[in-house]
């Protein structure tokens, strides 16, 4: 399927971050360890993508075509062994300590081979991101310790973020839309906790998750004012998985309907009180939208690389297909777009490290703790108990909300929206246009190019349709000026 | 008066085909997309013979439908609203029939009678063109009075369904040396390559024929040189027109579904058809539909087509129609949101089908280049 003779993309030597984005050279001089960390991540990710993912993904796609519930545990185990699914967790606590820039490199490399498998490997981040929004230390430490423990024991610990409902997609992500939405779920206060009923749909990992982070409204007539965020263990009585969808592409990533039937959730599992649910969603989106843009750009790179490999070996008459001028022009045009979007994506990642929640790992108390405390203590129940004290919990939340204000979140939603639209439109454009190069024969499954085409389209829809993302852009950049 | 009768006849045919497609194709089309089944396709074909669908382009002197190429294109467009894959099977078959119209009457009789006989099992034909940019795959020589063919043909549709193929052979060093032959599937030395595993048009099978010293007798040669070239250009023109029609038909259905969904889906405070951005998208889709319809019909109404059953603009028409259709299908998915990406809604299948249509007969950028290079 891929030719390693042409050293482009996945087959290029690493690291090539500075080569492809020369502006990083300035940072390499002033913060060498910051760039080295990302370069190491890129090297690790590229090797994994090339050696472990690439040989399997077509077979996985085919198996998932027959059975949407098929999951390749073998590939997951390999990623787990390398800690790729807990990459943001500090090294001292058992993760890889990869910041946003390093994670951008990870996402690009994995997505260049298979975005769905990349999602399966990296989606755990949603659990950590969800906890970091309020940053109550008790919750954050517990989640980190659980993730590390699961990784060591090679036991999957999956997270899911349940936003979309049958009657509300875009409506769950935008304030003005949420005010008028018609919820398909409902929560009410009961003694000792909360009772949840209803259905969420199109939930990534919904069929595999051990924990679901869900936004649910108390009052259907005032959804925005009553929207709250809950952590729901999926072994809770009344929780069930409905349909696991048959999709056009990204088949390796399971997309499920989840049903709540009088699910009782403990009080402490309300992560955001009524009225703060949207804020929780927006903060996660302020990070993940940009990363979807990175993933789209990665998919585009992979599609182009596959087309280059095909055209490089396809003979027509007495020359190669890639020697045709029209082919070269298409490749150059797409390369231009990939280069510019890539620069924007990594710029966004550096901004996340500079201004957003990754700063918490640079906070003095966190830095000192990670430096001074032994790993055994960092992963101990006693630290967890200490972190759960009200003083520490509130301190964590207070400090984090000072670091990452509402304005920062909304700024990053806006920037993330631009990156998301750019990266995902690029994915669709490139995956579509490269089929013109390879023709009908190259569109056949074994070449892997038609898979990029099928996988790309959904990126323009999830994480906020590109139309909703454009609305966010206008609302935050232009509306305040009017 | 005859025009009015003809109009009524074709209207009836289209109406019957619409009912047939709705009753027979719609109920199983998504299942077949997941697990393609040649038996189901053959069942559809057999049932369609009861309404003479396969013989539409065959002259009524041979007991065929006597329909013009444009009328056949309209029927294909209508079939495509249910399944582009099924429509593509008829398109390949219709093209083979229409190219035969240029052949000597004795040759026409031989093959048209085969197709129109009621009490025989299905008879599906297909047509194989030389590749657009490299026709060195297939070699042929004259030996005694026969032609001996070796090598691999270009990709064709109806690969596993056809009983026979009209094959156009050219010499790479002498394009004037063109031959048109009829290949029976059962001929000695003929084999099929493994079908391509394409993401769309799954009701059909596409691939290459493998020739190993296949011997073509003189009675299997339909035409040579100028006559063969004339048949080739006619066949290619009509085939591109048919592909354009199928693409437009598929896109039309995607558009209809998008309108229906937009009228009922509530987001952001109102049904989404009332949002200006959705209206703009739908308006754009309508423009492309109107233009695509005009463009594919123009192939068959072009003065050159009327004179000589060929038009040099046919590849461009196919390029325009399929590109426009793909944009329409993608926008239809976008309007449906997450639902558009799910198999059960049938929209993403349309996108995949149109993607394959885009590449049949050559990728569109190359066709544009070739058109200008050949003419100027």
């Amino acid at each position: 399927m891929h030719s390693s003779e042409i050293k482009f993309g996945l087959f290029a030597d690493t690291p090539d971050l500075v080569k492809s984005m020369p502006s990083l050279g300035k940072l390499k001089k002033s913060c060498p360890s910051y760039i080295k960390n990302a370069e190491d991540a890129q090297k690790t990710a590229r090797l994994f993508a090339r050696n472990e993912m690439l040989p399997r993904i077509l077979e996985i796609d085919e198996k998932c075509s027959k059975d949407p519930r098929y999951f390749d545990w073998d590939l997951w185990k390999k990623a787990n062994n390398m800690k790729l699914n807990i990459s943001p967790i500090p090294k001292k606590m058992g993760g890889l300590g990869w910041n946003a820039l390093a994670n951008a490199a990870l996402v690009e490399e994995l997505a260049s081979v298979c975005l769905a498998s990349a999602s399966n490997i990296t989606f755990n981040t949603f659990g950590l991101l969800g906890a970091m929004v309020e940053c109550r230390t008790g919750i954050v430490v517990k989640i980190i310790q659980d993730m590390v423990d699961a990784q060591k024991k090679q036991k999957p610990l999956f997270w899911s973020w349940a936003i979309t409902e049958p009657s509300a997609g875009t409506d769950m992500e935008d304030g003005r839309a949420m005010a008028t939405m018609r919820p398909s779920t409902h929560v009410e206060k009961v003694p000792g906790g909360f009772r949840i009923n209803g259905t969420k749909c199109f939930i990534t990992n919904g069929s595999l998750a051990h924990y679901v982070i869900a936004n649910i409204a108390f009052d259907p007539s005032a959804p925005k004012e009553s929207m709250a965020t809950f952590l729901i263990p999926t072994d809770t009585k009344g929780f069930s998985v409905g349909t696991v969808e048959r999709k056009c592409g990204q088949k390796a990533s399971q997309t499920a309907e989840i049903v709540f039937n009088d699910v009782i959730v403990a009080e402490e599992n309300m992560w955001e009180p009524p009225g703060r649910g949207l804020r929780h969603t927006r903060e996660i989106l302020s990070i993940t939208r940009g990363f979807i843009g990175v993933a789209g750009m990665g998919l585009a790179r992979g599609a182009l690389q596959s087309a280059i490999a095909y055209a490089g070996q396809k003979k027509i008459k007495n020359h190669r297909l890639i020697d045709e001028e029209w082919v070269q022009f298409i490749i150059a045009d797409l390369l231009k777009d990939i280069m510019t979007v890539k620069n924007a994506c990594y710029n966004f990642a550096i901004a996340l490290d500079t201004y957003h929640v990754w700063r918490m790992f640079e906070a003095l108390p966190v830095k000192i703790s990670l430096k001074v405390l032994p790993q055994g203590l960092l992963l101990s129940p006693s630290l967890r108990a200490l972190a759960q004290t009200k003083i520490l919990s509130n301190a964590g939340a207070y400090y984090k909300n000072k670091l990452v204000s509402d304005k920062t979140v909304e700024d990053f939603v806006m920037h993330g929206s631009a990156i998301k639209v750019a990266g995902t439109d690029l994915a669709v454009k490139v995956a579509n246009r490269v089929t013109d190069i390879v023709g009908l024969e190259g569109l056949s499954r074994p070449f892997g190019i038609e898979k990029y085409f099928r996988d790309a389209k959904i990126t323009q829809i999830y994480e906020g349709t590109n139309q909703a993302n454009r609305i966010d852009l206008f609302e935050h950049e232009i509306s305040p000026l009017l | 008066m005859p025009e009015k009768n003809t109009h009524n006849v074709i209207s009836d045919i289209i109406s019957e085909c619409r009912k047939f497609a709705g009753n027979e194709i719609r109920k199983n089309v998504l299942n077949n997309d997941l697990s393609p089944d040649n038996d189901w396709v053959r069942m559809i074909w057999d049932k369609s013979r009861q309404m003479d669908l396969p013989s539409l382009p065959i002259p009524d002197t041979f007991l065929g439908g006597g329909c013009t190429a444009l009328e056949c294109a309209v029927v294909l467009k209508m079939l495509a609203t249910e399944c582009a894959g099924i429509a593509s099977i008829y398109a390949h078959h219709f093209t083979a029939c229409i190219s035969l119209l240029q052949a000597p009457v004795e040759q026409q009789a031989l093959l048209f009678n085969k197709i129109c006989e009621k009490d025989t099992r299905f008879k599906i034909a297909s047509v194989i063109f030389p590749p657009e940019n490299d026709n060195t795959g297939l070699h042929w020589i004259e030996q005694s009075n026969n032609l001996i063919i070796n090598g691999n043909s270009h990709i064709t549709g109806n690969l596993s369904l056809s009983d026979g193929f009209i094959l156009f052979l050219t010499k790479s060093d002498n394009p004037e040396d063109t031959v048109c032959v009829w290949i029976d599937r059962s001929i000695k030395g003929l084999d099929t390559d493994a079908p391509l595993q394409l993401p769309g048009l799954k009701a059909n099978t596409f691939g290459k024929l493998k020739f190993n010293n296949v011997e073509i007798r003189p009675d299997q040669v339909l035409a040579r040189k100028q006559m063969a070239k004339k048949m080739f250009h006619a066949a290619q023109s009509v085939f591109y027109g048919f592909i354009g029609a199928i693409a437009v038909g598929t896109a039309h259905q995607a558009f209809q579904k998008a309108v229906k969904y937009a009228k009922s889906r509530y987001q952001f405070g109102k049904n989404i058809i009332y949002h200006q951005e959705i209206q703009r998208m739908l308006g754009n889709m309508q423009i492309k539909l109107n233009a695509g319809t005009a463009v594919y019909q123009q192939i068959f109404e072009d003065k050159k087509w009327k004179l000589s059953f060929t038009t040099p603009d046919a590849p461009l028409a196919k390029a325009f129609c399929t590109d426009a259709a793909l944009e329409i299908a993608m926008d239809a998915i976008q309007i449906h949101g997450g639902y558009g990406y799910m198999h059960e809604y049938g929209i993403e299948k349309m996108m995949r089908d149109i993607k394959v249509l885009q590449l049949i007969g050559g990728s569109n950028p190359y066709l544009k280049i070739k058109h200008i290079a050949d003419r100027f």
Side-chain angles (χ1 to χ4, degrees):
Chain A
M1 168 186 151
H2 294 275
S3 168
S4 55
E5 289 173 12
I6 302 178
K7 289 189 178 298
F8 173 78
L10 197 70
F11 295 97
D13 295 328
T14 48
D16 62 8
L17 281 178
V18 176
K19 186 176 167 225
S20 56
M21 291 171 289
S23 60
L24 293 184
K26 179 95 176 167
L27 266 177
K28 192 162 185 173
K29 283 186 181 158
S30 55
C31 314
S33 61
Y34 180 63
I35 299 298
K36 175 95 179 28
N37 185 245
E39 287 177 333
D40 288 345
Q42 187 198 48
K43 185 175 179 182
T44 303
R46 187 167 292 180
L47 278 173
F48 180 83
R50 193 194 305 165
N51 298 336
E52 304 298 345
M53 286 174 70
L54 193 58
R56 291 175 158 79
I57 48 120
L58 286 186
E59 187 191 336
I60 293 173
D61 183 70
E62 181 137 17
K63 286 181 174 172
C64 293
S65 288
K66 295 191 172 90
D67 178 10
R69 285 180 184 255
Y70 175 81
F71 188 85
D72 198 272
W73 290 108
D74 204 39
L75 182 61
W76 176 83
K77 274 193 191 118
K78 288 188 187 292
N80 185 68
N81 286 346
M82 293 176 69
K83 302 186 181 182
L84 296 179
N85 49 344
I86 55 168
S87 66
I89 291 174
K91 240 182 179 165
K92 190 85 178 281
M93 293 187 81
L96 293 176
W98 285 355
N99 49 29
L101 184 66
N103 271 288
L106 170 69
V107 168
E108 180 188 345
E109 295 305 320
L110 301 192
S112 79
V113 174
C114 177
L115 215 165
S117 298
S119 170
N120 286 342
I121 292 166
T122 60
F123 211 82
N124 247 10
T125 327
F126 275 88
L128 195 52
L129 285 178
M132 297 280 290
V133 171
E134 284 303 326
C135 215
R136 292 189 193 94
T137 47
I139 296 174
V140 173
V141 167
K142 179 182 183 311
I143 284 175
I144 289 177
Q145 288 186 347
D146 284 350
M147 282 183 173
V148 171
D149 186 57
Q151 186 274 327
K152 276 185 195 159
K153 290 175 179 163
Q154 290 205 341
K155 281 176 68 178
L157 177 60
F158 281 21
W159 293 78
S160 201
W161 189 39
I163 299 300
T164 305
E165 310 190 344
S167 56
T170 303
D171 279 0
M172 289 296 293
E173 298 192 12
D174 180 284
R176 289 176 307 157
M178 187 176 275
T180 58
M181 72 176 266
R182 296 167 181 170
S184 306
T185 52
H186 175 244
V187 59
E188 55 185 333
K189 184 82 182 72
V190 294
F194 305 94
R195 174 162 48 220
I196 297 172
N197 278 285
T199 308
K200 294 279 189 187
C201 64
F202 305 149
I203 306 303
T204 301
N205 275 2
S207 39
L208 295 166
H210 299 83
Y211 294 98
V212 170
I213 302 168
N215 270 16
I216 301 173
F218 279 84
D219 181 359
S221 66
K224 187 180 169 194
E225 293 81 2
S226 68
M227 189 66 67
T229 307
F230 296 91
L231 175 73
I232 303 157
T234 56
D235 58 359
T236 309
K237 187 176 168 218
F239 178 91
S240 62
V241 175
T243 319
V244 177
E245 303 285 354
R246 272 188 196 285
K247 308 192 298 292
C248 175
Q250 294 204 29
K251 297 187 188 219
S253 169
Q254 292 188 17
T255 306
E257 179 189 52
I258 57 177
V259 182
F260 305 97
N261 194 359
D262 287 341
V263 170
I264 305 292
V265 161
E267 288 212 19
E268 62 265 25
N269 281 356
M270 184 170 74
W271 278 7
E272 297 286 358
R276 291 278 296 173
L278 179 64
R279 169 65 172 76
H280 191 270
T281 298
R282 299 288 284 181
E283 179 153 343
I284 294 181
L285 288 176
S286 71
I287 297 170
T288 56
R289 277 186 177 172
F291 272 100
I292 295 298
V294 174
M297 179 269 298
L299 186 155
R301 191 195 89 187
L304 182 63
Q305 173 206 300
S306 293
I308 289 171
Y310 180 90
Q313 54 85 34
K314 172 75 177 169
K315 295 275 189 291
I316 51 167
K317 293 177 182 162
N318 55 1
H319 58 275
R320 303 167 302 178
L321 179 59
I322 205 167
D323 295 321
E324 297 260 309
E325 187 182 284
W326 69 275
V327 171
Q328 292 172 355
F329 264 78
I330 292 179
I331 291 171
D333 191 54
L334 299 178
L335 195 57
K336 170 260 300 172
D337 288 340
I338 290 171
M339 285 166 70
T340 45
V341 171
K342 179 166 176 157
N343 273 277
C345 286
Y346 279 80
N347 186 47
F348 178 81
I350 294 170
L352 281 177
D353 282 330
T354 311
Y355 298 108
H356 213 303
V357 73
W358 267 272
R359 291 172 72 193
M360 286 296 287
F361 293 114
E362 298 295 314
L364 205 55
V366 175
K367 269 183 107 165
I368 290 174
S369 304
L370 289 173
K371 200 173 170 73
V372 165
L373 298 178
Q375 191 181 63
L377 186 57
L378 287 169
L379 297 173
S380 68
S382 35
L383 180 72
R384 184 187 295 205
L386 182 65
Q388 279 169 348
T389 57
K390 233 180 173 169
I391 290 176
L392 261 185
S393 234
N394 289 344
Y398 173 79
Y399 190 70
K400 186 267 172 182
N401 283 320
K402 280 211 78 148
L403 267 187
V404 184
S405 65
D406 285 359
K407 182 171 184 319
T408 302
V409 166
E410 286 304 317
D411 282 348
F412 272 87
V413 169
M414 181 193 68
H415 285 291
S417 291
I419 302 295
K420 194 266 182 182
V421 172
T424 57
D425 282 355
L426 178 68
V428 170
K429 177 183 174 181
V430 175
N432 186 27
R433 283 200 74 192
V434 296
T435 61
D436 284 335
I437 295 174
V438 304
L440 203 60
E441 191 167 20
L443 197 71
S444 192
R445 176 182 266 272
F447 293 102
I449 290 159
E450 60 87 28
K451 182 180 171 297
Y452 287 111
F453 175 74
R454 285 187 289 109
D455 286 352
K457 183 57 193 153
I458 189 63
T459 63
Q460 289 180 315
I461 296 171
Y462 61 29
E463 212 73 4
T465 62
N466 285 7
Q467 285 68 33
N469 275 271
R470 286 180 172 92
I471 290 172
D472 258 327
L473 259 173
F474 184 89
E475 277 305 305
H476 289 92
E477 184 69 5
I478 304 299
S479 276
L481 307 175
L482 302 173
Chain B
M1 289 297 284
E3 280 176 12
K4 197 177 176 180
N5 286 342
T6 306
H7 176 75
N8 285 345
V9 164
I10 192 61
S11 293
D12 287 345
I13 291 172
I14 290 169
S15 175
E16 284 300 309
C17 285
R18 184 175 291 120
K19 272 191 231 160
F20 170 79
N23 292 337
E24 301 299 335
I25 299 175
R26 191 182 301 170
K27 56 191 172 199
N28 207 36
V29 65
L30 289 183
N31 282 341
N32 192 69
D33 182 62
L34 288 177
S35 308
D37 181 2
N38 271 354
D39 288 340
W40 176 72
V41 172
R42 290 197 174 102
M43 187 269 302
I44 296 286
W45 187 270
D46 271 345
K47 282 196 175 182
S48 77
R49 292 184 80 205
Q50 292 165 20
M51 40 181 290
D52 294 326
L53 189 46
S55 58
L56 279 186
I58 295 172
D60 44 18
T61 46
F62 296 103
L63 303 177
C67 290
T68 65
L70 176 57
E71 286 160 352
C72 291
V74 173
V75 167
L76 288 174
K77 179 182 172 238
M78 188 277 308
L79 284 175
T81 60
E82 296 298 340
C83 180
I86 296 283
S88 74
I89 296 169
Y90 288 92
H92 283 82
H93 174 82
F94 286 172
T95 304
C97 295
I98 290 174
S99 60
L100 275 173
L101 292 175
Q102 310 291 310
V105 175
E106 315 79 60
Q107 303 284 19
Q108 290 184 33
L110 200 64
L111 294 166
F112 285 153
N113 287 336
K114 272 189 186 179
I115 292 168
C116 292
E117 271 168 19
K118 289 278 187 216
D119 56 355
T120 57
R121 232 187 130 212
F122 64 92
K123 288 288 184 218
I124 306 178
S126 190
V127 60
I128 311 170
F129 299 109
E132 305 73 41
N133 54 6
D134 181 5
N135 61 351
T136 54
L138 213 51
H139 320 281
W140 55 279
I141 54 169
E142 307 251 11
Q143 204 173 79
S144 306
N145 282 333
N146 296 342
L147 295 178
I148 311 293
I149 308 176
N150 278 286
N152 291 346
S153 76
H154 190 36
I155 296 165
T156 185
N158 294 8
L159 184 74
S160 54
L161 295 162
S162 291
D163 303 281
F165 304 84
I166 290 193
L167 172 66
F168 289 99
L169 295 159
T170 59
K171 286 255 162 87
S172 56
D173 55 353
N174 182 11
E176 295 301 313
D177 201 353
T178 303
V179 180
C180 177
V181 300
W182 170 260
I183 310 272
D184 233 66
R185 175 177 281 279
S186 55
I187 199 169
K188 190 178 166 203
L190 185 72
D191 202 356
T192 54
D193 212 356
L196 299 181
Q197 299 172 57
L198 297 173
L201 301 187
K202 295 205 180 190
N204 204 336
T205 44
F206 292 82
K208 299 178 179 181
L209 288 179
K210 296 199 288 195
F211 292 78
N212 185 9
N213 287 328
V214 172
E215 215 169 291
I216 304 292
R217 301 184 312 272
D219 63 320
Q220 290 168 287
V221 175
L222 299 174
R224 288 179 182 272
K225 298 197 186 305
Q226 278 303 314
M227 175 55 73
K229 265 192 89 176
K230 197 177 160 189
M231 284 176 69
F232 168 59
H233 288 301
Q236 200 173 54
S237 294
V238 80
F239 186 63
Y240 282 134
F242 287 163
I243 297 300
I246 293 172
V248 170
T250 311
H252 191 239
Q253 179 73 319
F255 173 75
Q256 303 269 49
K257 283 186 175 236
V259 169
K260 189 177 171 190
Y261 182 84
K263 280 180 175 175
S264 61
R265 176 70 172 174
Y266 175 93
Q267 285 298 271
F268 239 111
K270 49 192 172 186
N271 287 356
I272 63 173
I273 201 160
Y274 297 110
H275 289 293
Q276 287 184 342
E277 178 57 12
I278 301 297
Q279 290 170 347
R280 185 200 64 80
M281 288 169 76
L282 288 169
N284 236 356
M285 290 154 82
Q286 182 73 77
I287 289 173
K288 287 169 190 166
L289 270 178
N290 293 351
T293 303
V295 160
Y296 88 74
Q297 286 182 350
Q298 174 58 22
I299 292 177
F300 305 109
E301 290 172 354
D302 184 357
K303 196 167 75 175
K304 287 196 187 71
W305 172 262
K306 286 182 172 155
L307 289 174
S308 61
F309 295 100
T310 186
T311 166
D313 292 339
L316 302 184
K318 172 248 171 187
F320 180 87
C321 290
T322 53
D323 285 348
L326 187 68
E327 287 166 16
I328 291 168
M330 285 184 152
D331 278 350
I333 292 176
Q334 193 70 13
I335 287 171
H336 278 79
Y339 292 102
Y341 200 63
M342 305 302 149
H343 187 261
E344 66 176 291
Y345 280 74
I347 317 259
E348 57 85 22
K349 173 186 176 292
M350 294 177 193
M351 180 183 75
R352 290 185 281 111
D353 286 343
I354 294 170
K355 171 47 66 182
V356 178
L357 288 170
Q358 252 193 334
L359 297 173
I360 290 177
S363 59
N364 293 342
Y366 183 74
L367 290 180
K368 294 171 199 173
I369 291 161
K370 191 168 183 300
H371 172 80
I372 297 297
D374 286 350
R375 286 185 78 186
F376 304 111

